[in-house]
Amino acid sequence: VDSLNFGFASIEADVWLVDGNLCVAHNRSDVQSSKRLDNLYLEPLFKLFNANGNKIFANGETLFLLVDFKSEGEATYQALKQLLKKYRPMVNAPAGTTPAVKIIISGNRPIETIKNDADRCVGVDGRLSDLKGPFDASLMPLISDNWRLHFRYQGNGEISAEERLKLKTIVQQVHQNGAQLRFWATPENDMLWKTLREAEVDLIGTDQREKLVAFLKSQAGT
């Protein structure tokens, strides 16, 4: 949750279901029972939510918490659903409003189970291919995809006119469907970030938080 101190409105946690606990780790070999989704993310956020008058951010903006299922999707979802009962005021909201924290399931996504869960308080991280069929932004409020599968541009010089138009078209399509857009596997450099920002891509993913913060500060007001 340190990312909040950098001003980021989206954070991601990789989780494994181990002995009934949702443990936070990128690899199964790194799992530690003391590092769990509840004590590292949900509990600190819930304390902040309660202290701030049922908000995470002062302006009421919704925080996206992406939970990347590394273990089998169905069982992991059931464990998460049980865990979220304690935090329901924070992650659920009346119809037509947005919650303080929007949980979005990525990784091994049990899409049909979540879709058919009348009591769900999570969304699904969609893919660009999902836009080709019947699309429901309430189920998939976020569309994410692998940058390298769609673009050759790596941030060296200006993006080509062809790829710039392709990116603009994707952004428009996602926004017309009422969702937000992010890419993963993007090169970590200022030119690439500048291109995403100019195209109005909603979320910029990074493992280099300080570097991205410095870039965004340099772009403030531009």
Side-chain angles (χ1 to χ4, degrees):
V1 188
D2 290 342
S3 294
L4 297 184
N5 296 327
F6 288 94
F8 295 139
S10 173
I11 52 181
E12 184 172 3
D14 297 343
V15 300
W16 296 84
L17 178 61
V18 179
D19 297 329
N21 293 313
L22 293 174
C23 298
V24 176
H26 185 66
N27 298 307
R28 176 64 177 83
S29 59
D30 295 328
V31 165
Q32 299 178 35
S33 60
S34 61
K35 295 183 178 180
R36 305 183 310 277
L37 185 66
D38 56 339
N39 68 339
L40 292 183
Y41 290 88
L42 295 175
E43 198 61 37
L45 286 173
F46 200 44
K47 289 179 179 178
L48 185 61
F49 170 79
N50 289 319
N52 285 354
N54 296 348
K55 295 183 292 185
I56 297 298
F57 299 108
N59 63 2
E61 183 180 0
T62 294
L63 171 71
F64 279 2
L65 174 57
L66 280 86
V67 181
D68 191 330
F69 285 4
K70 296 298 185 181
S71 46
E72 190 274 328
E74 296 289 345
T76 307
Y77 176 61
Q78 294 305 321
L80 177 63
K81 185 177 177 181
Q82 185 67 29
L83 179 63
L84 289 179
K85 289 181 178 179
K86 177 181 178 181
Y87 307 101
R88 199 163 178 86
M90 180 176 71
V91 301
N92 198 28
T97 63
T98 56
V101 176
K102 183 66 177 178
I103 306 285
I104 300 179
I105 307 305
S106 191
N108 294 325
R109 308 163 299 158
I111 297 175
E112 287 302 315
T113 297
I114 297 174
K115 178 181 178 181
N116 295 324
D117 185 354
D119 194 38
R120 74 171 186 260
C121 56
V122 304
V124 174
D125 189 19
R127 301 290 175 261
L128 289 175
S129 58
D130 290 317
L131 297 172
K132 297 176 182 177
F135 185 79
D136 182 356
S138 67
L139 176 65
M140 293 182 176
L142 181 65
I143 296 295
S144 305
D145 224 308
N146 187 332
W147 174 263
R148 297 172 194 272
L149 293 180
H150 300 277
F151 297 95
R152 297 184 301 273
Y153 181 61
Q154 299 295 304
N156 300 315
E158 294 290 335
I159 189 172
S160 69
E162 177 187 1
E163 290 205 330
R164 186 183 298 277
L165 178 59
K166 181 179 180 180
L167 178 58
K168 180 180 179 181
T169 301
I170 289 172
V171 170
Q172 289 177 339
Q173 185 180 11
V174 170
H175 288 173
Q176 285 169 0
N177 280 279
Q180 295 191 46
L181 176 65
R182 74 168 182 134
F183 290 98
W184 74 81
T186 52
E188 302 265 18
N189 63 66
D190 288 8
M191 282 300 295
L192 194 287
W193 292 335
K194 182 173 182 288
T195 300
L196 294 177
R197 188 170 180 268
E198 290 175 347
E200 299 184 351
V201 173
D202 300 282
L203 302 178
I204 298 177
T206 185
D207 291 324
Q208 300 181 29
R209 295 180 300 185
E210 293 87 351
K211 184 177 178 181
L212 179 56
V213 168
F215 164 74
L216 292 173
K217 287 182 178 179
S218 74
Q219 297 291 302
T222 63

